[in-house]
Amino acid sequence: MNKALTPDKVWDIAVIGGGCSGFGVMLDALSRGLSVVLLERGDIGQGTSSRSTKLLHGGVRYLAKAHVKLVFEAVRERGGLLRNAKHLTHVQPFVIPVYSRLQALWYTLGLKFYDLLAGTRSLGKSRYLSKAETMRRMPMLKTERLRGGVLYHDGQFDDARLIISLAETCTTLGGAVLNYCSVLGLQKDVSGKVNGLRFLDQVSGVEHFLTARMVVNATGIFTDEVGRMDSPQSAPTVVASQGSHLVLPAEILSSNNALLIPQTSDGRVLFAVPWQGKVVLGTTDIRVDAPSAEPKISDAEVDFILSTAARYFNKPISRSDVRSVFAGLRPLSAPAATGAKTKEISRSHKVIVSPSGLVSITGGKWTTFRKMGQDAVAHFTKVTGQRLAPSRSATMNLGGEQPAQAQGKYLQYGSQAVAIEAFVNAHPQWNIPLHPAHDYTLAQVVWAVRYEMALHLDDVLSRRLRLLMLDANAARIVAPQVAALMAEELGHDMEWVQGELKAFYTLLERYTLAP
């Protein structure tokens, strides 16, 4: 257990949930000089926050629904992330194919307005493309009826690695990050106000109590579960929507540009995005009434994604082309009884303060995670009566100060790039590729265990390294070697290795397609 958790310590804020919204709260609170502890019952970033479409975007499609405020907020936050986490973010050009003059006019004007909302944070001017230039940028498009395209720019990032950088940044600022710690209940004072919580350290099996002036519920799709700890009669506040993705070889797209298909049969958009040497194709938007920590893509979703792509791609894509699949559950801010389709529910966030003082964040998206945190922390004075210093989180570096000598794959480690490079040089026995088709080494496994809080096989292969998400079969092949090395580092025996492999192989079924 973290040494900062002394029995008599009173934290300013305790955050439940180690996804992007939880770290948004933690980062903003620490920027104001508050003391913060964050608890996650699994691995940090294990849920939806590591299963996004890998985009930092303002939400082009939200403009059509007149959600201008949400788009304005998102493009502003997008610019901040591209500035504050340069080691994990970059500008990504997109092409929207058009098939009529009306479409060309509509999308061009809409994206010009998108640029206008971004203002000085614009990532590049949008413009209409001729058919020839569209085909040059997107050689895999069918030419039938194609008139041209519209070019625009958004951001792209590595979601799970950004969670790791946020954890490192927050720890450096004095926060305590605890993974594999399950909150069992909330503590209340004699007046019924929440003043702490009880949790189980899953590693030691020991229960602990901690006291906090404010408790924030940032548990995404499980927001209502924590809400019922506060009051069994609390009304539902979140609707879960599943977004699923297929991961394909880069040759499927054959471009550094991303594709946005603007109108699918269910009224959404579909992205085909180059990412880490592969292509991410998705996403879906399906209501889920019984959320799971490990959602599984359905055959219907696979068929929908493939059939939609087939309408635009000039070469067929089959299930055998798929290298991995993944699904995440979006926590949409809406009463569970709402009859609205998930695609119609706003992606804006809400902060709710219960009568007992429990602060809950619902809704939101990765791009606006920092603003979500800022809005939650802004209730500190209301809950505690104590003065709150101004927020500085908008300008804080998120572990991305890269020394000039950092090279290649170690750039993703940001300010730790030189340290891991020195670590590799000092331990050449670990500077060995995990798999011939991927640029990961044994040294990165050891680093993840020693310095990045990785405790289980899934932590390493899913989030510290992205192998499971990029190539599920390759992850299956290297799993025994990685588990054995982790056991050596953590002091576990062969029984632990076998247990980890059994659990990982079961998980793999959710990342692979049956023939």
Side-chain angles (χ1 to χ4, degrees):
M1 185 53 59
N2 192 292
K3 294 179 180 179
L5 289 181
T6 53
D8 57 345
K9 183 176 179 63
V10 179
W11 297 88
D12 288 319
I13 296 179
V15 182
I16 308 173
C20 64
S21 58
F23 276 103
V25 174
M26 190 177 202
L27 180 74
D28 189 77
L30 289 167
S31 83
R32 301 172 189 257
L34 300 177
S35 60
V36 191
V37 56
L38 178 146
L39 302 97
E40 165 57 48
R41 67 181 176 185
D43 183 30
I44 54 174
Q46 186 170 351
T48 304
S49 294
S50 62
R51 309 175 200 212
S52 72
T53 315
K54 320 307 177 193
L55 299 179
L56 297 172
H57 63 112
V60 171
R61 73 184 183 92
Y62 307 146
L63 286 178
K65 301 180 182 297
H67 296 161
V68 176
K69 181 180 177 182
L70 172 61
V71 176
F72 179 74
E73 179 179 85
V75 294
R76 182 177 56 194
E77 292 298 311
R78 177 192 68 183
L81 267 168
L82 286 164
R83 179 184 64 247
N84 297 336
K86 295 179 181 178
H87 60 309
L88 293 170
T89 64
H90 65 268
V91 176
Q92 175 63 57
F94 284 77
V95 173
I96 302 177
V98 297
Y99 297 89
S100 70
R101 290 180 179 177
L102 182 59
Q103 281 187 346
L105 179 63
W106 176 253
Y107 296 136
T108 301
L109 289 177
L111 289 163
K112 287 295 184 185
F113 185 48
Y114 193 52
D115 294 345
L116 183 65
L117 287 175
T120 57
R121 293 180 175 86
S122 174
L123 305 182
K125 289 185 179 180
S126 61
R127 61 185 178 90
Y128 179 74
L129 304 175
S130 67
K131 180 176 180 179
E133 186 172 1
T134 300
M135 291 305 301
R136 181 178 63 81
R137 288 177 175 268
M138 288 283 149
M140 29 54 66
L141 278 175
K142 288 181 176 179
T143 58
E144 183 183 359
R145 297 189 302 106
L146 182 70
R147 296 187 68 93
V150 180
L151 174 72
Y152 77 98
H153 301 81
D154 249 324
Q156 190 182 58
F157 76 131
D158 185 331
D159 47 12
R161 289 301 312 181
L162 185 52
I163 288 284
I164 304 303
S165 278
L166 284 166
E168 292 172 347
T169 299
C170 290
T171 301
T172 301
L173 291 170
V177 177
L178 310 178
N179 60 347
Y180 293 102
C181 287
S182 305
V183 173
L184 304 175
L186 302 176
Q187 292 182 169
K188 297 184 179 180
D189 61 21
V190 292
S191 65
K193 297 296 184 181
V194 173
N195 68 350
L197 51 83
R198 177 170 60 95
F199 69 95
L200 172 68
D201 176 356
Q202 296 177 37
V203 176
S204 67
V206 177
E207 288 189 20
H208 300 267
F209 292 85
L210 63 82
T211 303
R213 296 180 175 89
M214 184 168 92
V215 175
V216 179
N217 172 14
T219 54
I221 58 171
F222 301 109
T223 297
D224 293 332
E225 182 180 313
V226 176
R228 288 190 291 272
M229 292 181 184
D230 179 34
S231 171
Q233 292 76 40
S234 63
T237 60
V238 171
V239 171
S241 165
Q242 179 158 307
S244 295
H245 306 78
L246 310 182
V247 180
L248 301 156
E251 296 74 29
I252 294 294
L253 195 61
S254 297
S255 176
N256 292 324
N257 295 259
L259 176 71
L260 186 153
I261 296 172
Q263 190 71 33
T264 63
S265 59
D266 68 346
R268 280 186 50 79
V269 300
L270 191 77
F271 293 102
V273 184
W275 186 69
Q276 299 203 13
K278 295 288 190 292
V279 173
V280 176
L281 187 63
T283 178
T284 56
D285 196 342
I286 298 174
R287 178 168 176 152
V288 176
D289 293 321
S292 165
E294 288 293 344
K296 180 177 175 59
I297 188 171
S298 66
D299 285 335
E301 288 176 289
V302 175
D303 292 341
F304 167 78
I305 293 172
L306 290 178
S307 63
T308 300
R311 292 165 48 199
Y312 294 84
F313 285 53
N314 56 25
K315 293 182 180 179
I317 305 172
S318 68
R319 295 170 71 96
S320 63
D321 293 314
V322 177
R323 296 295 177 263
S324 185
V325 299
F326 64 93
L329 296 180
R330 310 176 188 93
L332 305 183
S333 181
T338 182
K341 294 181 180 179
T342 51
K343 68 184 179 68
E344 297 169 350
I345 300 175
S346 172
R347 268 49 176 176
S348 61
H349 64 274
K350 294 180 183 178
V351 179
I352 303 168
V353 182
S354 76
S356 69
L358 175 68
V359 177
S360 298
I361 306 174
T362 64
K365 50 191 290 192
W366 238 121
T367 311
T368 57
F369 88 97
R370 188 210 63 83
K371 184 62 166 58
M372 293 163 61
Q374 179 179 309
D375 290 350
V377 177
H379 288 77
F380 184 75
T381 298
K382 175 183 178 181
V383 172
T384 68
Q386 297 187 14
R387 177 182 173 275
L388 185 64
S391 170
R392 297 186 299 109
S393 59
T395 58
M396 295 181 69
N397 184 277
L398 305 180
E401 291 293 343
Q402 301 170 5
Q405 61 267 42
Q407 298 294 325
K409 61 176 174 287
Y410 300 124
L411 287 175
Q412 68 175 322
Y413 291 88
S415 58
Q416 298 297 311
V418 170
I420 187 173
E421 219 165 5
F423 178 79
V424 171
N425 292 335
H427 300 90
Q429 73 276 22
W430 292 326
N431 192 18
I432 300 170
L434 280 179
H435 189 281
H438 297 275
D439 194 23
Y440 295 126
T441 65
L442 293 175
Q444 289 172 279
V445 174
V446 177
W447 182 271
V449 172
R450 292 189 184 182
Y451 306 111
E452 295 181 340
M453 301 174 62
L455 295 176
H456 294 283
L457 185 56
D458 177 38
D459 302 348
V460 172
L461 292 179
S462 294
R463 290 170 292 280
R464 306 314 186 274
L465 313 180
R466 307 313 307 271
L467 190 58
L468 177 59
M469 195 160 283
L470 294 168
D471 188 338
N473 187 56
R476 181 192 304 275
I477 291 170
V478 307
Q481 184 180 22
V482 173
L485 184 55
M486 290 184 69
E488 184 179 332
E489 282 293 307
L490 293 167
H492 294 310
D493 57 17
M494 186 54 64
E495 183 179 356
W496 180 89
V497 171
Q498 294 304 320
E500 286 291 303
L501 289 173
K502 181 179 179 181
F504 188 71
Y505 292 150
T506 299
L507 178 66
L508 264 168
E509 295 176 5
R510 296 182 178 269
Y511 286 80
T512 55
L513 294 182

